Amino acid sequence: MKKPNIFADLDWSSEAPLSTKFDDIYFSIDNGLAETSHVFLDSNQLSDRFKTKASFTIAETGFGTGLNFLAAWQLFNEQAQDTARLHFISVEKHPITPDDLTRALALWPELNAFSEQLLAQYPNSVPGFHRLSFDHGRISLTLMLGDATECYRQLDAEVDAWFLDGFSPAKNPDMWSPALFQQVARLSKPGTTFATFTSAGIVKRGLRGVGFQVRRTDGFGPKWDMLSGTFVGTDEAEQSSSTPSPAWFRLPHKHTGDKTAMVIGAGIAGCSTAYSLAIRGWNVTLVDKHSEIATEGSGNRQGALYAKLPVEPIPASRFHLSGFLYSSNFLNQNLAGRTDIWSPCGLLQLAANDKEQAKQKKLAESGNYPDPVVQFVEQSEASALAGTPVNNSGLFFPDAGWVTPPLLCKWLAEHPGITVLTETQILRLEREGNDWNGYTQNGQTLTAAVAVIASAADSRLFEQLKHLPVQNIRGQVSLTTAEINAPHLKTVLCSEGYISPAKHGHFCFGATFDLKDDATDIRESGHRHNLDKVSDMAPELGKSLSRYHTKKGLKGRVAFRCASPDKLPIIGPVPVYESFLNDYARLRHDARTVIDTQPQYHPGLFANLAHGSKGLISGPISGEIIASMLENEPLPLEKELVDKLSPGRFIIKNLIRRAI
């Protein structure tokens, strides 16, 4: 079965590329960059507005070649303060291929410094949100791949200026529909501006109908006129501006106090949160009870970075895939060459049996995942990729690999905005005035405007989080501690177990999955389990490791995964338990009842935990989610996915089930 092609088909017979689907050009043949400056930058008064705002958000309705984004980035660099941040949001249903993008951007050598960075991060054609970061986080691009109306319906953001771009209304009416105009109004505020190259009556009437004042101005070049204007709001627009989420998933208002944060727990989730806040100018105190950071679940020598995917995407898998793509891009952009931390060696997910093999083939043929993300390989090709014979066919993830979690955490925590306190255990948190006080085991009091609890299952020790249904799952990994005469493994292998290519000649493999077991001893039964799982994947490698164990003995490490009942992490503002019970009590009797009561959260208190065995793909993006909430920035994921992670979801589920 041939995978469907979602890429745009371009005709390069003229100076500007033409979309064969819409029979329209992407930019002016005369001067595309000058057109962008006139229509979008100047008409939104961006040169002046960039000078005065600490954070600015632009949203666009057609990414195309990315020219508008690059031009806005260039102007922002010229006009904005060094500490300011630009958030650019765009959508594209038919992205152009990387080769076509390279060819198009080559037309503007004056933008090379920016276009090269875009090309380096241009995402694979996976539907959904893609968060890209440039200039150490100063510039962010949220590129949404899919239908414009549906994507913007899933966006949580507050837009300062709109670039209403896309092919002409006559040739692409879906881009100029009343439903999309309603989303434009929902994401706008009084004073939000817009500009568009078109002056079509349907656009003018549509924008006026949702609350924009519209004016006709001179167009670019031979074009007589265009439209621009400002959002003032109407009753109709306000009525349609409600979020698509149930009331209990509404997020708290933007944090307006001091930009100080206390992050409790220095594993991947905590360090990622501290880093995401620090790059936004926050002063962060990162606290851990151990003598070193990344000592518990994030302490393994190597961990596999990949996402296990179903044939048909579901919300949980869409979150994990988004997290995988974000982590992979983040590591490649920031840690390329740091072979002690990150190896993009690829990963083979081998089929454990015939049933799983059939499922993997079906996944590869479904059209839901592009080949650059995952592809099916037969046993012979899998063996060649692995560098040693493997027992079955599998799925190959080219952009996957292995990470050393403790070194990643150390790198994240080295940001100058982060102060690390080890051997410090916070016993309780209390809100006093506008701050959180953390009282430690040695009588110390730590104070910050915001507190983020990222201490895995220990989070339940805090009164505010004791209702969360998290559990510890024991896992033992096996380690070689000397050189071993074994096949040279070239890529990570996983199935019912996993093994990474040797680091400095030493292998790390595992892991057991022990429920209701809190013992920390290293067990021979755990080593035998791990060796058997390697042998099931790669017999020759398994034999070599077994011989090593017989002669020298394997070392081991036990850690505990913190997991939630629905196997998704818990990320977001912490609800006031009793208030949720009272405000949404009617759900016990009617799960569909409409309750518009604003949710009550503990001010400035957030949770980031229960990442299970997937912390490498869910941890880095979790920090971006929390930082975006606090800064009132565009969320890096679809709102329906963010809702799935909410700490309040278990209260709502239990009310509906009448369990509480």
Side-chain angles (χ1 to χ4, degrees), residues 366-397:
S366 68
N368 293 322
Y369 310 102
D371 285 344
V373 173
V374 61
Q375 52 200 255
F376 180 81
V377 291
E378 297 289 355
Q379 182 178 358
S380 58
E381 187 178 354
S383 297
L385 288 166
T388 185
V390 297
N391 267 350
N392 212 333
S393 59
L395 296 173
F396 181 56
F397 293 76

PDB file of all heavy atoms in Angstrom, residues 366-397:
ATOM      1  N   SER A 366      -0.184   2.172   6.917  1.00  0.00           N
ATOM      2  CA  SER A 366      -1.407   2.913   7.233  1.00  0.00           C
ATOM      3  C   SER A 366      -1.426   4.323   6.664  1.00  0.00           C
ATOM      4  O   SER A 366      -2.491   4.915   6.485  1.00  0.00           O
ATOM      5  CB  SER A 366      -1.589   2.990   8.750  1.00  0.00           C
ATOM      6  OG  SER A 366      -0.574   3.813   9.329  1.00  0.00           O
ATOM      7  N   GLY A 367      -0.250   4.885   6.411  1.00  0.00           N
ATOM      8  CA  GLY A 367      -0.180   6.277   5.982  1.00  0.00           C
ATOM      9  C   GLY A 367      -0.232   7.263   7.127  1.00  0.00           C
ATOM     10  O   GLY A 367      -0.221   8.477   6.900  1.00  0.00           O
ATOM     11  N   ASN A 368      -0.276   6.764   8.366  1.00  0.00           N
ATOM     12  CA  ASN A 368      -0.362   7.653   9.522  1.00  0.00           C
ATOM     13  C   ASN A 368       0.986   8.199   9.967  1.00  0.00           C
ATOM     14  O   ASN A 368       1.035   9.184  10.711  1.00  0.00           O
ATOM     15  CB  ASN A 368      -1.026   6.918  10.698  1.00  0.00           C
ATOM     16  CG  ASN A 368      -2.482   6.591  10.432  1.00  0.00           C
ATOM     17  OD1 ASN A 368      -3.193   7.393   9.830  1.00  0.00           O
ATOM     18  ND2 ASN A 368      -2.920   5.421  10.848  1.00  0.00           N
ATOM     19  N   TYR A 369       2.067   7.558   9.530  1.00  0.00           N
ATOM     20  CA  TYR A 369       3.398   7.968   9.969  1.00  0.00           C
ATOM     21  C   TYR A 369       4.342   7.990   8.771  1.00  0.00           C
ATOM     22  O   TYR A 369       4.497   6.974   8.080  1.00  0.00           O
ATOM     23  CB  TYR A 369       3.933   6.996  11.027  1.00  0.00           C
ATOM     24  CG  TYR A 369       2.967   6.730  12.148  1.00  0.00           C
ATOM     25  CD1 TYR A 369       2.222   5.542  12.190  1.00  0.00           C
ATOM     26  CD2 TYR A 369       2.769   7.657  13.167  1.00  0.00           C
ATOM     27  CE1 TYR A 369       1.328   5.291  13.210  1.00  0.00           C
ATOM     28  CE2 TYR A 369       1.876   7.412  14.194  1.00  0.00           C
ATOM     29  CZ  TYR A 369       1.155   6.224  14.216  1.00  0.00           C
ATOM     30  OH  TYR A 369       0.259   5.975  15.227  1.00  0.00           O
ATOM     31  N   PRO A 370       4.987   9.114   8.507  1.00  0.00           N
ATOM     32  CA  PRO A 370       5.888   9.184   7.354  1.00  0.00           C
ATOM     33  C   PRO A 370       7.154   8.360   7.562  1.00  0.00           C
ATOM     34  O   PRO A 370       7.589   8.115   8.693  1.00  0.00           O
ATOM     35  CB  PRO A 370       6.211  10.677   7.256  1.00  0.00           C
ATOM     36  CG  PRO A 370       6.013  11.202   8.639  1.00  0.00           C
ATOM     37  CD  PRO A 370       4.904  10.392   9.237  1.00  0.00           C
ATOM     38  N   ASP A 371       7.761   7.943   6.463  1.00  0.00           N
ATOM     39  CA  ASP A 371       8.968   7.112   6.517  1.00  0.00           C
ATOM     40  C   ASP A 371      10.106   7.741   7.312  1.00  0.00           C
ATOM     41  O   ASP A 371      10.841   7.015   7.990  1.00  0.00           O
ATOM     42  CB  ASP A 371       9.452   6.778   5.099  1.00  0.00           C
ATOM     43  CG  ASP A 371       8.573   5.730   4.434  1.00  0.00           C
ATOM     44  OD1 ASP A 371       7.806   5.053   5.154  1.00  0.00           O
ATOM     45  OD2 ASP A 371       8.641   5.591   3.204  1.00  0.00           O
ATOM     46  N   PRO A 372      10.332   9.056   7.245  1.00  0.00           N
ATOM     47  CA  PRO A 372      11.420   9.616   8.054  1.00  0.00           C
ATOM     48  C   PRO A 372      11.222   9.445   9.553  1.00  0.00           C
ATOM     49  O   PRO A 372      12.174   9.569  10.316  1.00  0.00           O
ATOM     50  CB  PRO A 372      11.408  11.102   7.667  1.00  0.00           C
ATOM     51  CG  PRO A 372      10.815  11.140   6.302  1.00  0.00           C
ATOM     52  CD  PRO A 372       9.767  10.066   6.315  1.00  0.00           C
ATOM     53  N   VAL A 373       9.986   9.157   9.981  1.00  0.00           N
ATOM     54  CA  VAL A 373       9.722   8.926  11.398  1.00  0.00           C
ATOM     55  C   VAL A 373       9.844   7.444  11.727  1.00  0.00           C
ATOM     56  O   VAL A 373      10.530   7.050  12.680  1.00  0.00           O
ATOM     57  CB  VAL A 373       8.328   9.447  11.802  1.00  0.00           C
ATOM     58  CG1 VAL A 373       7.971   9.048  13.237  1.00  0.00           C
ATOM     59  CG2 VAL A 373       8.276  10.953  11.654  1.00  0.00           C
ATOM     60  N   VAL A 374       9.180   6.590  10.953  1.00  0.00           N
ATOM     61  CA  VAL A 374       9.227   5.151  11.212  1.00  0.00           C
ATOM     62  C   VAL A 374       8.967   4.399   9.915  1.00  0.00           C
ATOM     63  O   VAL A 374       8.178   4.837   9.074  1.00  0.00           O
ATOM     64  CB  VAL A 374       8.201   4.756  12.296  1.00  0.00           C
ATOM     65  CG1 VAL A 374       6.774   5.076  11.867  1.00  0.00           C
ATOM     66  CG2 VAL A 374       8.348   3.300  12.696  1.00  0.00           C
ATOM     67  N   GLN A 375       9.648   3.272   9.761  1.00  0.00           N
ATOM     68  CA  GLN A 375       9.477   2.453   8.560  1.00  0.00           C
ATOM     69  C   GLN A 375       9.655   0.984   8.919  1.00  0.00           C
ATOM     70  O   GLN A 375      10.410   0.637   9.833  1.00  0.00           O
ATOM     71  CB  GLN A 375      10.486   2.861   7.482  1.00  0.00           C
ATOM     72  CG  GLN A 375      11.912   2.902   7.972  1.00  0.00           C
ATOM     73  CD  GLN A 375      12.820   3.731   7.107  1.00  0.00           C
ATOM     74  OE1 GLN A 375      13.622   3.193   6.359  1.00  0.00           O
ATOM     75  NE2 GLN A 375      12.708   5.060   7.233  1.00  0.00           N
ATOM     76  N   PHE A 376       8.923   0.126   8.226  1.00  0.00           N
ATOM     77  CA  PHE A 376       9.028  -1.313   8.461  1.00  0.00           C
ATOM     78  C   PHE A 376      10.246  -1.865   7.742  1.00  0.00           C
ATOM     79  O   PHE A 376      10.513  -1.504   6.589  1.00  0.00           O
ATOM     80  CB  PHE A 376       7.767  -2.028   7.965  1.00  0.00           C
ATOM     81  CG  PHE A 376       7.797  -3.519   8.172  1.00  0.00           C
ATOM     82  CD1 PHE A 376       7.481  -4.056   9.410  1.00  0.00           C
ATOM     83  CD2 PHE A 376       8.153  -4.363   7.134  1.00  0.00           C
ATOM     84  CE1 PHE A 376       7.514  -5.433   9.605  1.00  0.00           C
ATOM     85  CE2 PHE A 376       8.186  -5.736   7.322  1.00  0.00           C
ATOM     86  CZ  PHE A 376       7.863  -6.281   8.564  1.00  0.00           C
ATOM     87  N   VAL A 377      11.003  -2.741   8.417  1.00  0.00           N
ATOM     88  CA  VAL A 377      12.161  -3.386   7.796  1.00  0.00           C
ATOM     89  C   VAL A 377      12.079  -4.886   8.035  1.00  0.00           C
ATOM     90  O   VAL A 377      11.719  -5.343   9.124  1.00  0.00           O
ATOM     91  CB  VAL A 377      13.499  -2.831   8.341  1.00  0.00           C
ATOM     92  CG1 VAL A 377      13.716  -1.397   7.888  1.00  0.00           C
ATOM     93  CG2 VAL A 377      13.567  -2.902   9.862  1.00  0.00           C
ATOM     94  N   GLU A 378      12.395  -5.655   7.006  1.00  0.00           N
ATOM     95  CA  GLU A 378      12.424  -7.107   7.137  1.00  0.00           C
ATOM     96  C   GLU A 378      13.610  -7.535   8.002  1.00  0.00           C
ATOM     97  O   GLU A 378      14.514  -6.752   8.295  1.00  0.00           O
ATOM     98  CB  GLU A 378      12.510  -7.758   5.753  1.00  0.00           C
ATOM     99  CG  GLU A 378      11.310  -7.494   4.854  1.00  0.00           C
ATOM    100  CD  GLU A 378      10.053  -8.242   5.306  1.00  0.00           C
ATOM    101  OE1 GLU A 378      10.149  -9.043   6.266  1.00  0.00           O
ATOM    102  OE2 GLU A 378       8.989  -8.019   4.696  1.00  0.00           O
ATOM    103  N   GLN A 379      13.621  -8.801   8.379  1.00  0.00           N
ATOM    104  CA  GLN A 379      14.638  -9.301   9.305  1.00  0.00           C
ATOM    105  C   GLN A 379      16.053  -9.072   8.788  1.00  0.00           C
ATOM    106  O   GLN A 379      16.943  -8.668   9.548  1.00  0.00           O
ATOM    107  CB  GLN A 379      14.406 -10.790   9.571  1.00  0.00           C
ATOM    108  CG  GLN A 379      15.386 -11.390  10.571  1.00  0.00           C
ATOM    109  CD  GLN A 379      15.099 -12.862  10.842  1.00  0.00           C
ATOM    110  OE1 GLN A 379      14.150 -13.436  10.306  1.00  0.00           O
ATOM    111  NE2 GLN A 379      15.916 -13.475  11.671  1.00  0.00           N
ATOM    112  N   SER A 380      16.279  -9.313   7.509  1.00  0.00           N
ATOM    113  CA  SER A 380      17.632  -9.154   6.960  1.00  0.00           C
ATOM    114  C   SER A 380      18.094  -7.703   7.032  1.00  0.00           C
ATOM    115  O   SER A 380      19.243  -7.412   7.398  1.00  0.00           O
ATOM    116  CB  SER A 380      17.678  -9.645   5.513  1.00  0.00           C
ATOM    117  OG  SER A 380      16.745  -8.930   4.710  1.00  0.00           O
ATOM    118  N   GLU A 381      17.190  -6.769   6.695  1.00  0.00           N
ATOM    119  CA  GLU A 381      17.553  -5.351   6.763  1.00  0.00           C
ATOM    120  C   GLU A 381      17.729  -4.909   8.211  1.00  0.00           C
ATOM    121  O   GLU A 381      18.621  -4.108   8.528  1.00  0.00           O
ATOM    122  CB  GLU A 381      16.487  -4.498   6.082  1.00  0.00           C
ATOM    123  CG  GLU A 381      16.877  -3.031   5.966  1.00  0.00           C
ATOM    124  CD  GLU A 381      15.842  -2.189   5.248  1.00  0.00           C
ATOM    125  OE1 GLU A 381      14.850  -2.757   4.733  1.00  0.00           O
ATOM    126  OE2 GLU A 381      16.022  -0.948   5.196  1.00  0.00           O
ATOM    127  N   ALA A 382      16.891  -5.437   9.086  1.00  0.00           N
ATOM    128  CA  ALA A 382      17.032  -5.107  10.508  1.00  0.00           C
ATOM    129  C   ALA A 382      18.382  -5.570  11.039  1.00  0.00           C
ATOM    130  O   ALA A 382      19.047  -4.858  11.803  1.00  0.00           O
ATOM    131  CB  ALA A 382      15.895  -5.733  11.302  1.00  0.00           C
ATOM    132  N   SER A 383      18.809  -6.748  10.630  1.00  0.00           N
ATOM    133  CA  SER A 383      20.107  -7.261  11.075  1.00  0.00           C
ATOM    134  C   SER A 383      21.242  -6.385  10.571  1.00  0.00           C
ATOM    135  O   SER A 383      22.214  -6.114  11.298  1.00  0.00           O
ATOM    136  CB  SER A 383      20.301  -8.700  10.591  1.00  0.00           C
ATOM    137  OG  SER A 383      19.329  -9.562  11.162  1.00  0.00           O
ATOM    138  N   ALA A 384      21.125  -5.925   9.329  1.00  0.00           N
ATOM    139  CA  ALA A 384      22.162  -5.046   8.780  1.00  0.00           C
ATOM    140  C   ALA A 384      22.208  -3.719   9.534  1.00  0.00           C
ATOM    141  O   ALA A 384      23.288  -3.186   9.822  1.00  0.00           O
ATOM    142  CB  ALA A 384      21.902  -4.811   7.297  1.00  0.00           C
ATOM    143  N   LEU A 385      21.043  -3.179   9.867  1.00  0.00           N
ATOM    144  CA  LEU A 385      21.003  -1.929  10.629  1.00  0.00           C
ATOM    145  C   LEU A 385      21.586  -2.116  12.026  1.00  0.00           C
ATOM    146  O   LEU A 385      22.279  -1.232  12.543  1.00  0.00           O
ATOM    147  CB  LEU A 385      19.562  -1.424  10.737  1.00  0.00           C
ATOM    148  CG  LEU A 385      18.937  -0.860   9.468  1.00  0.00           C
ATOM    149  CD1 LEU A 385      17.422  -0.712   9.624  1.00  0.00           C
ATOM    150  CD2 LEU A 385      19.548   0.498   9.123  1.00  0.00           C
ATOM    151  N   ALA A 386      21.297  -3.263  12.636  1.00  0.00           N
ATOM    152  CA  ALA A 386      21.754  -3.520  13.999  1.00  0.00           C
ATOM    153  C   ALA A 386      23.237  -3.844  14.058  1.00  0.00           C
ATOM    154  O   ALA A 386      23.881  -3.615  15.083  1.00  0.00           O
ATOM    155  CB  ALA A 386      20.942  -4.648  14.616  1.00  0.00           C
ATOM    156  N   GLY A 387      23.792  -4.408  12.968  1.00  0.00           N
ATOM    157  CA  GLY A 387      25.189  -4.822  12.992  1.00  0.00           C
ATOM    158  C   GLY A 387      25.382  -6.203  13.571  1.00  0.00           C
ATOM    159  O   GLY A 387      26.517  -6.671  13.729  1.00  0.00           O
ATOM    160  N   THR A 388      24.292  -6.879  13.888  1.00  0.00           N
ATOM    161  CA  THR A 388      24.318  -8.244  14.423  1.00  0.00           C
ATOM    162  C   THR A 388      22.993  -8.904  14.069  1.00  0.00           C
ATOM    163  O   THR A 388      21.974  -8.210  13.937  1.00  0.00           O
ATOM    164  CB  THR A 388      24.531  -8.239  15.947  1.00  0.00           C
ATOM    165  OG1 THR A 388      24.664  -9.577  16.428  1.00  0.00           O
ATOM    166  CG2 THR A 388      23.379  -7.554  16.669  1.00  0.00           C
ATOM    167  N   PRO A 389      22.963 -10.235  13.877  1.00  0.00           N
ATOM    168  CA  PRO A 389      21.707 -10.890  13.524  1.00  0.00           C
ATOM    169  C   PRO A 389      20.626 -10.676  14.586  1.00  0.00           C
ATOM    170  O   PRO A 389      20.884 -10.803  15.783  1.00  0.00           O
ATOM    171  CB  PRO A 389      22.091 -12.371  13.432  1.00  0.00           C
ATOM    172  CG  PRO A 389      23.552 -12.368  13.133  1.00  0.00           C
ATOM    173  CD  PRO A 389      24.101 -11.182  13.868  1.00  0.00           C
ATOM    174  N   VAL A 390      19.425 -10.326  14.117  1.00  0.00           N
ATOM    175  CA  VAL A 390      18.277 -10.194  15.010  1.00  0.00           C
ATOM    176  C   VAL A 390      17.240 -11.232  14.616  1.00  0.00           C
ATOM    177  O   VAL A 390      17.254 -11.750  13.494  1.00  0.00           O
ATOM    178  CB  VAL A 390      17.679  -8.775  14.965  1.00  0.00           C
ATOM    179  CG1 VAL A 390      18.696  -7.751  15.455  1.00  0.00           C
ATOM    180  CG2 VAL A 390      17.193  -8.412  13.570  1.00  0.00           C
ATOM    181  N   ASN A 391      16.323 -11.504  15.519  1.00  0.00           N
ATOM    182  CA  ASN A 391      15.418 -12.638  15.358  1.00  0.00           C
ATOM    183  C   ASN A 391      14.150 -12.352  14.576  1.00  0.00           C
ATOM    184  O   ASN A 391      13.393 -13.268  14.302  1.00  0.00           O
ATOM    185  CB  ASN A 391      15.025 -13.185  16.741  1.00  0.00           C
ATOM    186  CG  ASN A 391      15.930 -14.317  17.181  1.00  0.00           C
ATOM    187  OD1 ASN A 391      16.721 -14.821  16.395  1.00  0.00           O
ATOM    188  ND2 ASN A 391      15.821 -14.708  18.442  1.00  0.00           N
ATOM    189  N   ASN A 392      13.913 -11.088  14.237  1.00  0.00           N
ATOM    190  CA  ASN A 392      12.643 -10.806  13.578  1.00  0.00           C
ATOM    191  C   ASN A 392      12.728  -9.489  12.824  1.00  0.00           C
ATOM    192  O   ASN A 392      13.723  -8.764  12.912  1.00  0.00           O
ATOM    193  CB  ASN A 392      11.498 -10.748  14.602  1.00  0.00           C
ATOM    194  CG  ASN A 392      10.170 -11.233  14.029  1.00  0.00           C
ATOM    195  OD1 ASN A 392       9.942 -11.152  12.819  1.00  0.00           O
ATOM    196  ND2 ASN A 392       9.298 -11.735  14.900  1.00  0.00           N
ATOM    197  N   SER A 393      11.689  -9.215  12.075  1.00  0.00           N
ATOM    198  CA  SER A 393      11.547  -7.915  11.421  1.00  0.00           C
ATOM    199  C   SER A 393      11.175  -6.886  12.479  1.00  0.00           C
ATOM    200  O   SER A 393      11.005  -7.207  13.666  1.00  0.00           O
ATOM    201  CB  SER A 393      10.463  -7.987  10.348  1.00  0.00           C
ATOM    202  OG  SER A 393       9.232  -8.380  10.942  1.00  0.00           O
ATOM    203  N   GLY A 394      11.017  -5.636  12.054  1.00  0.00           N
ATOM    204  CA  GLY A 394      10.666  -4.629  13.040  1.00  0.00           C
ATOM    205  C   GLY A 394      10.406  -3.273  12.427  1.00  0.00           C
ATOM    206  O   GLY A 394      10.395  -3.098  11.204  1.00  0.00           O
ATOM    207  N   LEU A 395      10.205  -2.315  13.288  1.00  0.00           N
ATOM    208  CA  LEU A 395      10.037  -0.917  12.902  1.00  0.00           C
ATOM    209  C   LEU A 395      11.334  -0.184  13.197  1.00  0.00           C
ATOM    210  O   LEU A 395      11.892  -0.300  14.292  1.00  0.00           O
ATOM    211  CB  LEU A 395       8.882  -0.277  13.675  1.00  0.00           C
ATOM    212  CG  LEU A 395       7.490  -0.840  13.414  1.00  0.00           C
ATOM    213  CD1 LEU A 395       6.476  -0.220  14.373  1.00  0.00           C
ATOM    214  CD2 LEU A 395       7.057  -0.609  11.968  1.00  0.00           C
ATOM    215  N   PHE A 396      11.795   0.600  12.231  1.00  0.00           N
ATOM    216  CA  PHE A 396      13.029   1.364  12.400  1.00  0.00           C
ATOM    217  C   PHE A 396      12.693   2.837  12.542  1.00  0.00           C
ATOM    218  O   PHE A 396      11.974   3.412  11.721  1.00  0.00           O
ATOM    219  CB  PHE A 396      13.965   1.152  11.214  1.00  0.00           C
ATOM    220  CG  PHE A 396      15.266   1.891  11.348  1.00  0.00           C
ATOM    221  CD1 PHE A 396      16.089   1.697  12.446  1.00  0.00           C
ATOM    222  CD2 PHE A 396      15.666   2.793  10.374  1.00  0.00           C
ATOM    223  CE1 PHE A 396      17.292   2.384  12.571  1.00  0.00           C
ATOM    224  CE2 PHE A 396      16.867   3.481  10.492  1.00  0.00           C
ATOM    225  CZ  PHE A 396      17.675   3.274  11.601  1.00  0.00           C
ATOM    226  N   PHE A 397      13.205   3.441  13.609  1.00  0.00           N
ATOM    227  CA  PHE A 397      13.036   4.871  13.874  1.00  0.00           C
ATOM    228  C   PHE A 397      14.375   5.559  13.608  1.00  0.00           C
ATOM    229  O   PHE A 397      15.270   5.532  14.464  1.00  0.00           O
ATOM    230  CB  PHE A 397      12.615   5.105  15.323  1.00  0.00           C
ATOM    231  CG  PHE A 397      11.244   4.602  15.678  1.00  0.00           C
ATOM    232  CD1 PHE A 397      11.003   3.243  15.883  1.00  0.00           C
ATOM    233  CD2 PHE A 397      10.180   5.478  15.805  1.00  0.00           C
ATOM    234  CE1 PHE A 397       9.742   2.783  16.221  1.00  0.00           C
ATOM    235  CE2 PHE A 397       8.907   5.029  16.140  1.00  0.00           C
ATOM    236  CZ  PHE A 397       8.694   3.676  16.346  1.00  0.00           C
TER     237      PHE A 397
END
